[in-house]
Amino acid sequence: QINVLQAKKKFEILDAMLSFMHAQYTFFQQGYSLLHELDPYMKKLATELDQLVIDSAVEKREMEHKHALIQQRSESVSFFQDFSYDDSKVEFNVDAPNGVVMEGYLFKRASNAFKTWNRRWFSIQNSQLVYQKKLKDVLTVVVEDLRLCTVKPCEDIERRFCFEVVSPTKSCMLQADSEKLRQAWIQAVQASIASAYRESPDSYYIE
């Protein structure tokens, strides 16, 4: 009886395997039929994809061309501004009645480790270089006596239009908004130094 049961069990296993294989055949057959029906649609998508790739390449080339034109235009405008910048506060006067030789906004490089740049309102007055964070703030003295200082333009730096005021104890790196303003500030400092030494400011400026 045991042998009979084992023999029947073998037939049941074989029957189950055959049923499983038929199920697999039916599954893949239906999958093939479905994908075969989708074949025209997939070919259509492939054609549209090729066109999208071409359109994308054309658009990228056009954007790169526009970007190059914008960069060229910006450089041209920047060049024009550097040499044609007109500002009513560019002029300075060492004999100003209020004692302010020149004033305006400059960027100042901090002396901390981060070397950050901050925009401050600077002025030259009473033979001193001072600045304010806001117009109504207390004056902060950068240079106490301009007679002990020198001023020079700085080209070897990450920013344009920079100049440095150097004193025996420290130096201050500043940035103007244009080349014309930088030259005006340098001349104003030099004229103030000359005035502090009681030289003739007018003849110094003309020279």
Side-chain angles (χ1 to χ4, degrees):
Q1 291 180 352
I2 292 175
N3 291 335
V4 172
L5 289 175
Q6 288 181 346
K8 287 183 178 181
K9 190 174 182 180
K10 291 180 181 178
F11 292 128
E12 290 174 356
I13 294 174
L14 182 59
D15 182 61
M17 287 294 298
L18 188 59
S19 297
F20 175 73
M21 292 175 67
H22 277 296
Q24 289 289 316
Y25 172 80
T26 304
F27 173 76
F28 286 109
Q29 185 69 28
Q30 290 177 349
Y32 170 78
S33 300
L34 179 62
L35 292 176
H36 184 68
E37 293 175 359
L38 290 175
D39 185 62
Y41 179 67
M42 290 190 295
K43 289 180 179 179
K44 179 183 176 182
L45 280 181
T47 304
E48 293 178 355
L49 178 61
D50 292 338
Q51 187 61 41
L52 286 174
V53 171
I54 295 174
D55 294 342
S56 176
V58 172
E59 184 178 0
K60 181 181 179 181
R61 187 165 59 250
E62 290 178 352
M63 291 296 294
E64 290 176 349
H65 181 65
K66 289 180 180 178
H67 181 69
L69 289 178
I70 291 173
Q71 266 192 332
Q72 185 177 1
R73 186 178 304 171
S74 298
E75 290 175 358
S76 300
V77 171
S78 177
F79 179 84
F80 176 78
Q81 289 177 345
D82 292 349
F83 293 94
S84 302
Y85 188 88
D86 187 14
D87 192 336
S88 59
K89 295 186 178 180
V90 168
E91 298 180 355
F92 60 90
N93 183 9
V94 292
D95 297 324
N98 59 355
V100 178
V101 177
M102 184 172 179
E103 60 182 352
Y105 280 108
L106 293 172
F107 283 93
K108 177 182 179 295
R109 190 175 70 177
S111 57
N112 54 28
F114 298 101
K115 303 296 183 182
T116 55
W117 292 83
N118 301 301
R119 197 165 187 253
R120 300 288 184 260
W121 181 265
F122 275 82
S123 62
I124 301 174
Q125 52 183 289
N126 301 322
S127 298
Q128 292 181 333
L129 179 64
V130 298
Y131 74 86
Q132 299 167 279
K133 292 183 178 179
K134 297 179 182 179
L135 291 179
K136 295 183 180 180
D137 288 351
V138 179
L139 293 176
T140 300
V141 179
V142 179
V143 176
E144 295 182 357
D145 192 348
L146 288 175
R147 292 176 298 178
L148 304 177
C149 295
T150 58
V151 58
K152 60 180 180 179
C154 296
E155 305 296 345
D156 189 17
I157 195 172
E158 70 276 6
R159 293 192 171 205
R160 300 184 299 171
F161 318 133
C162 291
F163 63 98
E164 186 178 18
V165 180
V166 183
S167 70
T169 57
K170 61 182 177 180
S171 65
C172 181
M173 184 68 67
L174 303 172
Q175 181 193 22
D177 291 335
S178 68
E179 178 61 26
K180 188 176 182 180
L181 279 172
R182 176 171 72 167
Q183 293 300 328
W185 276 99
I186 291 176
Q187 292 175 2
V189 174
Q190 291 173 343
S192 298
I193 294 173
S195 176
Y197 278 111
R198 300 187 182 281
E199 295 179 0
S200 174
D202 296 333
S203 63
Y204 182 87
Y205 176 65
I206 294 172
E207 182 180 356

